[in-house]
Amino acid sequence: MTIMEPRKHGDASDGTVGGRQTRFEGNLKVTGGATYALEYPLEDLAYAILVQSTIPAGRVISVDAEKALAAPGVLMVLTPDDDMGLLVASDWGGNRPDNQPYYPLPRQVQYNGQSIAAVVAESREQAVEAARLICITYEKAPHVASFNDTAAGEGKVMDNLTAGWGDAEAALAAAPVQIEGEYSTPREYHVAMEPHGLTVKWDGDQITVWEPSQWSHGMARSYSEWFGIPYENVRLISPFIGGGFGSKGAALAHGAVAAFASRKLGRPVKLALTRPQNFTNYGGRAATRQRIKIGATEDGILQAIVHRGASETSTYADWPEQTGAATPILYRIENFSSQHRVVPVNAVTPGALRGPGKNPSAFGIESAMEELAYKLGMDPLELRLKNYADHDYQSGKPWSTRRLREALTEGAEAFGWSRRSHEPRSMRDGKTLIGWGIGCGTFPVLQAPSEAMIRILRNGRVEVVSGAIDMGQGTYTILAQTVAEVFGIPADQVEVHLGDSRLPGSAIAGGSMLAGSILGAVHKAATAARDELIGLALNDEKSPLRDTGANTLTFSGGRVAAPRDQGPSLTLSELMAALGRDEIEILRNTLPEGATAQEQHQAWTSMVKVQGPTMGEYSMHSWCAHFAEVRVDEDFGTVRVSRIVSAFDCGRLYNPRLVESQWRGGIIMGIGQALLEEGLVDQRNGRTVNSNMGDYLVPTNADVPHIEVISVGIPDYGASALGGKGVGEVGIVGVAPAIANAVFHATGKRVRDLPITLEKLI
Amino acid sequence: MRDFSYLRASSAGEARQAALQAGSTLLAGGTTLLDLAKCGVMEPETVIDITHLSGLGGITLDAGGATIGALAKMGAVADHAGIRAAFPAVSESLSLAASAQLRNMATIGGNLLQRTRCSYFREPDVFPACHKRNPGSGCSALGGVTRNHAVLGTSDACIATYPGDLAVALAAFDAVVDLGGRTVSVDDFFLTPGNTPERETALQRGEMITAITIPASAAAKNSTYLKVRDRQSYEFAAASAAVGLEFEADGKTVRDIRVVLGGVATKPWRARNVEQALVGKVLSAETVEAASRLAMEGAVSHGANHYKIELAPRVVARAILKVGGLV
Ligand SMILES: Cc1cc2nc3c(=O)[nH]c(=O)nc-3n(C[C@H](O)[C@H](O)[C@H](O)COP(=O)(O)OP(=O)(O)OC[C@H]3O[C@@H](n4cnc5c(N)ncnc54)[C@H](O)[C@@H]3O)c2cc1C
Ligand code: SF4
């Protein structure tokens, strides 16, 4: 599917990796030309709506659908009584139980807002109205609303997340200066503008699914496994995504329901979650709490860190929001101990939300570091630099690249940190207290194999084809830039095809790993295609370049020529015409040579081939330092962020304009996390009562100050083929503690539980 | 959403006539009605569209005051130069409300009649108990998440906050709601819940707001609307205050003062005790702070909304000091 129209660019840096090219698909988006999953106009469409539980725990005894079935336009009602004949699909690790039935509308109720029935009708309005006529009888069971509930208990230790070296307890006890604090973060949600949902259609045993996806291949695999059809029979199409932030990486129950309904009815079906359903149909960031103890010498050298954390999970799966993820690697620390528990509660299983683990972890350790700085009477910047980690004390490995020191010093310089007065409440403007704070962030470099196809067309255009997706990060643009650079052509001579599971395999757009992974494959394929073209141009008897005597060719300014102006120069289309070729097509992947078809399939549809940050010789991470200024009304307790300067080490930037936009987006989300976002749970029935965008607050433009972002990175060729490290998630990590620290500096009040709402300050 | 029939009224009389019918509801900007229809809270059988009626959208001003037609848009009133000059608090209350898009759709009449933001009111499938929605069914908010609930004017039956901003400013300046056949002061127009939380206003079936009139006064001219909330824009008030002030000729003794609180009570909350405490007094930070505290007389908290009792007097004080030229 071609979705990119040729376009003109004015930027001199167009067509090279590292150029500040504007978003390739930007025009389509702002003019409404980009078609999203719920907008595909299909004939004979039926509409499905989910019915969700209103109790937190128990069993569905019966579903009385008689009235709903009799309502106008209703085609079908699905309930736990319907055996859809589905099988459980593989998890992210590619593990799959044998022949285990899958019930997307289960009888067992594990949380309030769980899908237990669905209504399909001729119109969405009819389906919604009929859904309200469904009468469900439950047998209620006791529930645990949150991990603060006394019935929740201590939860279970996640052994794989326990870390330690040295003797942390002893070193802590011996340390002359000690601090201790408990830090907590509430349930937070993705609230992407585009809700979850899909349009689905069967042709025989072939299924097409239009669904926003951060991973077209992985989600296609789930559909094939649920329905017991070959992977090749599934086509999942996702060219545009209205925000995912981690929530759109897996196929979910509502997808199975819609696909089943469509098959049974023999009609295409559209299912869109309502906004409240987007709060319970998949999990947001789990609530966390963590106790941190730090021991240091009088002059601020860290001696020990002891960390004990916990996060909520569901009653049916363990999802740790790892509060100890950033704790061990931010500072030089010889004695360390960390443990993380999950506490089952009656809530949907939490999921990945921008910067999972690292984000709440940084809130803990970066708040604690400032508490230590104040206990020592030391500038928090100085304390951080003093304890700079020269290598990764957890893995013992050297950093691949780590420019956190530069981030701290250059960020401080740009912010004007040296003009700060240390005492809390020492900066004010009338009734407004002003405070400055620092928060560091980190995110690991993950690597995954990917595949890409390059087609050189007779008309001189070059296509790059991949099943990777673009949810706004800029995949379209950087792929075009990479290919343009290889062929020495303007970026608008490149066509990019993305977001379709039938296209070559790709890493997930998650864990900040897509750009680094897919560009490796694209660069490899483009180079191979260019080599193929060079071979033909030098050897084919029809080629005007054959007689130049050159042994290679140059590609620049849109022309192919022999080096040092020997002989003619041709455009790609002239060369293709001369060669009599309609196209040259090259497929390459970055798996080891000789990977079998089975291994390839596994690579694109599971996480088994993903490489963690310390699996090689080095420890590889992105880094950042945020400097925040807040203004707090001393009477009202209202906090406004008035300035942020953030410096990043993300290695080489493939397109600084788009990277800066991602960083800013992360920072803005961090402002929301620090000041506004909190799922409010009614303890009586486990319901999140602010499950809509009027009540679950995210920052508006008026809440977003001037944000200055600085890149201090250098290319890291250990981290990726083209030298970049992940940029998508690190931006949010460390923002909340920077703001909390600034609030402390402004007011003298240390808020250890997010969000910092006004009642905590008055 | 339930199917409904749609009637496009051709005259105010026709609209009133149709509105007499049980199950019928007037439609103005629709920003409250459609929202609540989608939540299953309002389920009209007939929707009577009044947006095309002529003569109801005007804004007129003279020395005696302003008359604002019920169909005037929030945005138009907020931006009206005459309103801004004679009633700054009214203009500010509107420009600090909702979002630009909503202000362009929503009308003044509809604005007064917006419904509470109580989460329990808005989710009938999950929380069937709500006296306001379904008299006699109970109140789900009591014992639940109450951060945004009222501390003043509550009853055992209902603790829902009146969320609007405009009505707070109107109540300060003795504005009057014109119902065509009769008029009611804004203060009397809104009811506290008592045992009948389903009755929110003095509006009777078959009545329609045609206009709002605001008498001019020196206090209205020297007024402000202060809205405090966690988010800088697009959020209802955690606490707000509309304050107008007129000094004696000496420029420091209070001749006339109006104080109304928003975001903390079940209706726009005129704090006459604060006003009385300050009339005839010389304004100072101390007198203002002491008087402002009186606004919380009778306040009751329900857990998470306790902060409002602390916050609201500070908002009142700041607003008074502001119009008094002391901050
Ligand atoms: C997301 C969001 C945020 C908001 N934030 C704020 C805020 O910060 N501050 C604030 O004050 N408001 C806020 N509002 C409320 C908004 O101001 C009201 O929804 C709006 O003013 C209602 O006006 P309308 O013309 O759209 O009314 P409609 O929805 O058309 O009508 C509302 C009700 O009034 C009745 N009605 C309308 N006109 C008349 C009339 N002339 N006579 C008799 N009955 C009539 C209707 O029958 C209906 O019951 C917000 C709303 C939303 C959706
Ligand atoms: S506070 Fe009022 S509106 Fe809210 S649930 Fe109780 S009765 Fe209903």
Side-chain angles (χ1 to χ4, degrees), chain A residues 147 152-158 161 286-287 289 309-314 317-322 339-345 350:
Chain A
F147 69 170
E154 287 297 299
K156 48 190 161 185
V157 174
M158 300 296 288
L161 301 181
R289 62 168 177 251
S311 58
E312 287 184 345
T313 190
S314 70
D318 290 342
W319 174 280
E321 180 70 25
Q322 192 192 347
Q339 197 181 62
H340 185 87
R341 289 167 181 271
V342 289
V343 185
V345 302

CSV table of all heavy atoms in Angstrom, one decimal, chain A residues 147 152-158 161 286-287 289 309-314 317-322 339-345 350:
chain,number,residue,atom,x,y,z
A,147,PHE,N,-2.8,-2.2,46.3
A,147,PHE,CA,-1.8,-2.8,47.2
A,147,PHE,C,-1.7,-2.0,48.6
A,147,PHE,O,-0.9,-2.4,49.4
A,147,PHE,CB,-0.4,-3.0,46.5
A,147,PHE,CG,0.3,-1.7,46.2
A,147,PHE,CD1,1.7,-1.9,45.7
A,147,PHE,CD2,-0.2,-0.5,46.2
A,147,PHE,CE1,2.4,-0.8,45.4
A,147,PHE,CE2,0.5,0.7,45.9
A,147,PHE,CZ,1.8,0.5,45.5
A,152,ALA,N,-4.1,-7.0,50.9
A,152,ALA,CA,-3.2,-7.3,49.8
A,152,ALA,C,-2.0,-8.0,50.2
A,152,ALA,O,-1.4,-8.8,49.4
A,152,ALA,CB,-2.8,-5.9,49.1
A,153,GLY,N,-1.5,-7.8,51.4
A,153,GLY,CA,-0.3,-8.5,51.9
A,153,GLY,C,0.9,-7.9,51.3
A,153,GLY,O,0.9,-6.9,50.6
A,154,GLU,N,2.0,-8.6,51.5
A,154,GLU,CA,3.3,-8.2,51.0
A,154,GLU,C,3.6,-8.5,49.6
A,154,GLU,O,4.6,-8.1,49.0
A,154,GLU,CB,4.4,-8.7,51.9
A,154,GLU,CG,4.5,-8.0,53.3
A,154,GLU,CD,4.7,-6.5,53.2
A,154,GLU,OE1,5.8,-6.2,52.7
A,154,GLU,OE2,3.9,-5.7,53.6
A,155,GLY,N,2.9,-9.5,49.0
A,155,GLY,CA,3.1,-9.9,47.6
A,155,GLY,C,4.3,-10.9,47.6
A,155,GLY,O,4.7,-11.4,48.6
A,156,LYS,N,4.8,-11.1,46.4
A,156,LYS,CA,5.8,-12.1,46.2
A,156,LYS,C,7.1,-11.5,45.6
A,156,LYS,O,7.0,-10.6,44.7
A,156,LYS,CB,5.4,-13.3,45.4
A,156,LYS,CG,4.6,-12.9,44.1
A,156,LYS,CD,4.0,-14.1,43.4
A,156,LYS,CE,2.9,-13.6,42.5
A,156,LYS,NZ,2.1,-14.6,41.9
A,157,VAL,N,8.2,-12.0,46.1
A,157,VAL,CA,9.5,-11.5,45.6
A,157,VAL,C,9.7,-12.0,44.2
A,157,VAL,O,9.5,-13.2,43.9
A,157,VAL,CB,10.6,-11.9,46.5
A,157,VAL,CG1,12.0,-11.5,45.9
A,157,VAL,CG2,10.4,-11.3,47.9
A,158,MET,N,10.1,-11.1,43.3
A,158,MET,CA,10.5,-11.5,41.9
A,158,MET,C,12.0,-11.8,42.0
A,158,MET,O,12.8,-10.9,42.0
A,158,MET,CB,10.2,-10.4,40.9
A,158,MET,CG,8.8,-9.9,40.8
A,158,MET,SD,7.7,-11.2,40.2
A,158,MET,CE,8.1,-11.3,38.5
A,161,LEU,N,14.6,-10.3,39.7
A,161,LEU,CA,14.8,-8.8,39.8
A,161,LEU,C,15.6,-8.5,41.1
A,161,LEU,O,15.9,-7.4,41.4
A,161,LEU,CB,13.5,-8.0,39.8
A,161,LEU,CG,12.6,-8.2,38.6
A,161,LEU,CD1,11.4,-7.4,38.7
A,161,LEU,CD2,13.4,-7.9,37.3
A,286,ALA,N,1.7,0.2,36.5
A,286,ALA,CA,1.3,-0.3,37.8
A,286,ALA,C,1.6,0.8,38.9
A,286,ALA,O,2.6,1.5,38.7
A,286,ALA,CB,2.0,-1.6,38.1
A,287,ALA,N,0.8,0.8,39.9
A,287,ALA,CA,1.2,1.6,41.1
A,287,ALA,C,2.4,1.0,41.7
A,287,ALA,O,2.6,-0.2,41.7
A,287,ALA,CB,0.1,1.6,42.1
A,289,ARG,N,5.6,1.4,45.0
A,289,ARG,CA,6.2,2.0,46.1
A,289,ARG,C,7.6,1.4,46.3
A,289,ARG,O,7.8,0.2,46.0
A,289,ARG,CB,5.3,1.9,47.4
A,289,ARG,CG,5.1,0.4,47.8
A,289,ARG,CD,4.4,0.3,49.2
A,289,ARG,NE,4.2,-1.1,49.5
A,289,ARG,CZ,3.0,-1.6,49.5
A,289,ARG,NH1,1.9,-1.0,49.3
A,289,ARG,NH2,2.9,-2.9,49.7
A,309,GLY,N,11.3,-2.6,46.7
A,309,GLY,CA,10.2,-2.0,46.0
A,309,GLY,C,9.1,-3.0,45.8
A,309,GLY,O,9.2,-4.2,46.0
A,310,ALA,N,8.0,-2.5,45.4
A,310,ALA,CA,6.8,-3.3,45.1
A,310,ALA,C,5.9,-2.6,44.1
A,310,ALA,O,5.9,-1.4,44.0
A,310,ALA,CB,6.0,-3.6,46.4
A,311,SER,N,5.3,-3.4,43.3
A,311,SER,CA,4.3,-2.9,42.4
A,311,SER,C,3.1,-3.7,42.3
A,311,SER,O,3.1,-4.9,42.6
A,311,SER,CB,4.9,-2.7,41.0
A,311,SER,OG,5.3,-4.0,40.5
A,312,GLU,N,2.0,-3.1,41.9
A,312,GLU,CA,0.7,-3.9,41.8
A,312,GLU,C,0.8,-4.8,40.6
A,312,GLU,O,1.3,-4.4,39.5
A,312,GLU,CB,-0.5,-3.0,41.7
A,312,GLU,CG,-0.9,-2.3,42.9
A,312,GLU,CD,-2.1,-1.4,42.8
A,312,GLU,OE1,-2.5,-1.1,41.6
A,312,GLU,OE2,-2.7,-1.0,43.8
A,313,THR,N,0.2,-5.9,40.7
A,313,THR,CA,0.0,-6.7,39.5
A,313,THR,C,-1.4,-7.3,39.6
A,313,THR,O,-2.2,-6.9,40.5
A,313,THR,CB,1.0,-7.9,39.3
A,313,THR,OG1,0.9,-8.4,38.0
A,313,THR,CG2,0.8,-8.9,40.3
A,314,SER,N,-1.8,-8.0,38.6
A,314,SER,CA,-3.2,-8.6,38.6
A,314,SER,C,-3.2,-9.9,39.4
A,314,SER,O,-2.1,-10.4,39.8
A,314,SER,CB,-3.7,-8.8,37.2
A,314,SER,OG,-3.0,-9.9,36.6
A,317,ALA,N,-1.7,-12.7,36.5
A,317,ALA,CA,-0.4,-12.6,35.8
A,317,ALA,C,0.5,-11.7,36.6
A,317,ALA,O,0.1,-10.8,37.3
A,317,ALA,CB,-0.5,-12.1,34.4
A,318,ASP,N,1.8,-12.0,36.5
A,318,ASP,CA,2.8,-11.2,37.2
A,318,ASP,C,3.5,-10.2,36.2
A,318,ASP,O,4.2,-10.6,35.3
A,318,ASP,CB,3.9,-12.1,37.8
A,318,ASP,CG,3.4,-12.9,39.0
A,318,ASP,OD1,2.3,-12.6,39.5
A,318,ASP,OD2,4.1,-13.9,39.3
A,319,TRP,N,3.2,-8.9,36.4
A,319,TRP,CA,3.9,-7.9,35.6
A,319,TRP,C,4.6,-7.0,36.6
A,319,TRP,O,3.9,-6.2,37.3
A,319,TRP,CB,2.8,-7.1,34.8
A,319,TRP,CG,3.5,-6.0,34.1
A,319,TRP,CD1,3.8,-4.8,34.7
A,319,TRP,CD2,4.0,-5.9,32.8
A,319,TRP,NE1,4.5,-4.0,33.8
A,319,TRP,CE2,4.7,-4.6,32.6
A,319,TRP,CE3,4.0,-6.8,31.7
A,319,TRP,CZ2,5.3,-4.3,31.4
A,319,TRP,CZ3,4.6,-6.4,30.5
A,319,TRP,CH2,5.2,-5.2,30.4
A,320,PRO,N,5.9,-7.1,36.7
A,320,PRO,CA,6.6,-6.2,37.6
A,320,PRO,C,6.9,-4.9,37.0
A,320,PRO,O,7.4,-4.8,35.9
A,320,PRO,CB,7.9,-7.0,37.9
A,320,PRO,CG,8.1,-7.8,36.7
A,320,PRO,CD,6.8,-8.0,36.0
A,321,GLU,N,6.5,-3.8,37.7
A,321,GLU,CA,7.0,-2.5,37.3
A,321,GLU,C,8.2,-2.2,38.1
A,321,GLU,O,8.2,-1.8,39.3
A,321,GLU,CB,5.9,-1.4,37.5
A,321,GLU,CG,6.3,0.0,37.2
A,321,GLU,CD,6.3,0.3,35.7
A,321,GLU,OE1,5.7,-0.4,34.9
A,321,GLU,OE2,7.1,1.2,35.3
A,322,GLN,N,9.3,-2.5,37.5
A,322,GLN,CA,10.6,-2.8,38.2
A,322,GLN,C,11.2,-1.5,38.9
A,322,GLN,O,11.9,-0.7,38.2
A,322,GLN,CB,11.6,-3.4,37.3
A,322,GLN,CG,12.8,-3.9,37.9
A,322,GLN,CD,13.9,-4.2,36.9
A,322,GLN,OE1,13.6,-4.3,35.7
A,322,GLN,NE2,15.1,-4.5,37.3
A,339,GLN,N,15.5,-5.4,45.8
A,339,GLN,CA,14.5,-6.5,45.7
A,339,GLN,C,13.2,-5.9,45.3
A,339,GLN,O,12.9,-4.7,45.6
A,339,GLN,CB,14.3,-7.1,47.1
A,339,GLN,CG,13.6,-8.4,47.2
A,339,GLN,CD,13.5,-8.9,48.6
A,339,GLN,OE1,12.8,-8.2,49.4
A,339,GLN,NE2,14.1,-10.0,48.9
A,340,HIS,N,12.5,-6.6,44.5
A,340,HIS,CA,11.2,-6.1,44.0
A,340,HIS,C,10.1,-7.2,44.2
A,340,HIS,O,10.3,-8.3,43.8
A,340,HIS,CB,11.3,-5.6,42.5
A,340,HIS,CG,10.0,-5.0,42.1
A,340,HIS,ND1,9.8,-3.6,42.2
A,340,HIS,CD2,8.9,-5.5,41.5
A,340,HIS,CE1,8.5,-3.4,41.7
A,340,HIS,NE2,8.0,-4.5,41.3
A,341,ARG,N,9.0,-6.7,44.7
A,341,ARG,CA,7.8,-7.6,44.8
A,341,ARG,C,6.7,-7.2,43.9
A,341,ARG,O,6.6,-6.1,43.6
A,341,ARG,CB,7.3,-7.5,46.3
A,341,ARG,CG,8.2,-8.1,47.3
A,341,ARG,CD,7.7,-7.7,48.7
A,341,ARG,NE,8.6,-8.3,49.7
A,341,ARG,CZ,8.4,-9.5,50.3
A,341,ARG,NH1,7.3,-10.2,50.0
A,341,ARG,NH2,9.3,-9.9,51.1
A,342,VAL,N,5.9,-8.2,43.6
A,342,VAL,CA,4.6,-7.8,42.9
A,342,VAL,C,3.5,-8.2,43.9
A,342,VAL,O,3.5,-9.2,44.6
A,342,VAL,CB,4.4,-8.5,41.6
A,342,VAL,CG1,5.3,-7.9,40.5
A,342,VAL,CG2,4.6,-10.0,41.7
A,343,VAL,N,2.5,-7.3,44.0
A,343,VAL,CA,1.4,-7.6,44.9
A,343,VAL,C,0.1,-7.7,44.0
A,343,VAL,O,-0.3,-6.8,43.4
A,343,VAL,CB,1.2,-6.4,45.8
A,343,VAL,CG1,0.1,-6.7,46.8
A,343,VAL,CG2,2.5,-6.1,46.5
A,344,PRO,N,-0.5,-8.9,44.0
A,344,PRO,CA,-1.7,-9.1,43.2
A,344,PRO,C,-2.9,-8.4,43.8
A,344,PRO,O,-3.1,-8.4,45.0
A,344,PRO,CB,-1.9,-10.6,43.3
A,344,PRO,CG,-0.7,-11.2,43.8
A,344,PRO,CD,-0.1,-10.2,44.7
A,345,VAL,N,-3.6,-7.7,42.9
A,345,VAL,CA,-4.8,-7.0,43.2
A,345,VAL,C,-5.8,-7.2,42.1
A,345,VAL,O,-5.5,-7.7,41.1
A,345,VAL,CB,-4.5,-5.4,43.4
A,345,VAL,CG1,-3.5,-5.2,44.5
A,345,VAL,CG2,-4.2,-4.8,42.1
A,350,PRO,N,-1.1,-4.9,34.7
A,350,PRO,CA,-0.5,-3.7,34.2
A,350,PRO,C,0.3,-4.0,32.9
A,350,PRO,O,0.6,-5.1,32.6
A,350,PRO,CB,0.4,-3.2,35.3
A,350,PRO,CG,0.0,-4.0,36.5
A,350,PRO,CD,-0.7,-5.3,36.0
